[in-house]
Amino acid sequence: MPFSMNLLKRLQSAYSVVVLSGAGMSAASGIPTFRGRDGLWNQYRPEELATMEAFRRNPQLVWEWYCWRRDLIRGAKPNAGHLALAEMERYFPEFAVITQNVDNLHQTAGTRNITELHGNIMRNLCINTKCSISSEVLDREVARMGKTPARCPECGSLVRPGVVWFGESLPEAAIARAQTFSAEAEVFFSAGTSSTVAPASSLPYMAKGNGAYVVEINPEETPLSSVADERVAAGAHEVFPKLLQVIQKLRQRVR
Ligand code: APR
């Protein structure tokens, strides 16, 4: 797939590049997306599975669903898109991956500058935010309990997955980092996201407002498509490896 001269010129001189990734980034790793043809929200109702109310109402159902997703993710490997981004980071003084994904695949691929907006599914948390239990103790209790929702050994509250549920606010530090990187970006890639869930969906607009060249990588159109400077209607697992090859001709490694 050809990339425009505009994009190549920007990439040649850019100091700061940002990649915002969504579920489509991990589709080629066998992890289902949420929306679109075979998305999870076509089979399940998010308000029954991905809210604190749902968890309090039926901890067994919600916990089993997250155990199923954890098993799926444990079996998944970073795809060529994740791996290309981990290498691409070496060619720019500032290269930030901001992800809505909770699957840890960017970390496993080797990317270092990562901001997780929606948490990490492998993390366990006590729902009592004032509890001081250590994650090691929680993880041991969760492993012991398996598919049965665990209780915090310190305070007896339920143990939940460390992801952001609908109706919850994002970790403040994560959104602040994401906004800072987006405001400074000279090139901003939005890859594998339906661009429908705030505040992540506002980041490309913030970048564009500050003069960034915005590129959308998604086989389908999204609300961002008409605003982006460029659209590549293909999979992130195909596009990023090709983009890396182009960048390796344009630039030297800086780390
Ligand atoms: N490469 C790039 N994009 C792809 C690919 C691929 N190989 N396969 C699918 N897509 C696109 C789909 O066309 C869709 O637009 O990825 C997008 C995935 O959109 P969603 O399923 O809505 O995922 P996302 O945008 O990450 O959802 C945001 O919503 O449910 C919450 O917390 C959840 O983080 C998630 C948030």
Side-chain angles (χ1 to χ4, degrees):
M1 71 235 14
F3 301 107
S4 73
M5 279 314 292
N6 275 345
L7 175 57
L8 300 189
K9 270 201 320 234
R10 291 279 190 132
L11 286 172
Q12 186 158 32
S13 60
Y15 180 89
S16 163
V17 172
V18 166
V19 177
L20 169 67
S21 69
M25 185 80 217
S26 300
S29 297
I31 298 177
T33 61
F34 294 99
R35 300 168 185 82
R37 237 187 333 280
D38 47 4
L40 287 174
W41 297 148
N42 295 344
Q43 307 158 53
Y44 305 97
R45 292 161 51 80
E47 51 277 13
E48 283 171 7
L49 292 166
T51 65
M52 176 59 92
E53 295 70 33
F55 187 50
R56 287 186 189 281
R57 192 172 50 242
N58 190 340
Q60 185 63 46
L61 170 73
V62 174
W63 185 254
E64 275 178 14
W65 191 64
Y66 277 91
C67 288
W68 170 73
R69 287 186 61 204
R70 282 178 169 181
D71 290 347
L72 201 63
I73 285 168
R74 277 194 195 94
K77 289 201 177 9
N79 60 57
H82 294 104
L83 296 170
L85 288 181
E87 182 60 23
M88 208 179 284
E89 184 172 28
R90 299 169 180 277
Y91 286 80
F92 296 93
E94 191 171 276
F95 189 91
V97 170
I98 300 167
T99 189
Q100 301 171 86
N101 300 339
V102 296
D103 57 30
N104 217 52
L105 289 181
H106 284 300
Q107 289 88 332
T108 309
T111 291
R112 286 173 302 174
N113 183 347
I114 298 173
T115 302
E116 291 181 314
L117 291 178
H118 296 166
N120 188 308
I121 199 167
M122 296 308 178
R123 205 171 295 143
N124 296 301
L125 300 174
C126 175
I127 64 167
N128 169 8
T129 50
K130 293 188 178 50
C131 181
S132 58
I133 186 96
S134 76
S135 49
E136 292 75 21
V137 173
L138 270 192
D139 292 351
R140 270 201 305 275
E141 183 60 12
V142 163
R144 192 175 71 83
M145 296 300 287
K147 297 250 186 304
T148 306
R151 292 265 170 192
C152 171
E154 180 133 328
C155 73
S157 306
L158 280 167
V159 179
R160 61 171 287 179
V163 298
V164 176
W165 276 331
F166 285 102
E168 294 183 323
S169 43
L170 275 63
E172 271 170 36
I175 195 68
R177 257 170 73 88
Q179 289 172 337
T180 304
F181 284 130
S182 301
E184 290 165 358
E186 289 158 271
V187 181
F188 185 105
F189 292 98
S190 173
T193 177
S194 58
S195 296
T196 50
V197 176
S201 55
S202 66
L203 296 173
Y205 297 85
M206 177 184 280
K208 189 166 174 72
N210 279 17
Y213 189 81
V214 175
V215 183
E216 180 175 59
I217 299 171
N218 192 326
E220 313 284 331
E221 298 246 323
T222 77
L224 181 66
S225 301
S226 58
V227 174
D229 297 291
E230 190 159 333
R231 231 184 87 65
V232 186
H237 59 295
E238 301 155 330
V239 174
F240 282 128
K242 290 196 172 50
L243 195 63
L244 173 63
Q245 284 173 342
V246 165
I247 288 167
Q248 287 171 326
K249 292 193 183 79
L250 290 173
R251 298 178 66 106
Q252 299 295 321
R253 267 191 182 182
V254 295
R255 56 181 120 212

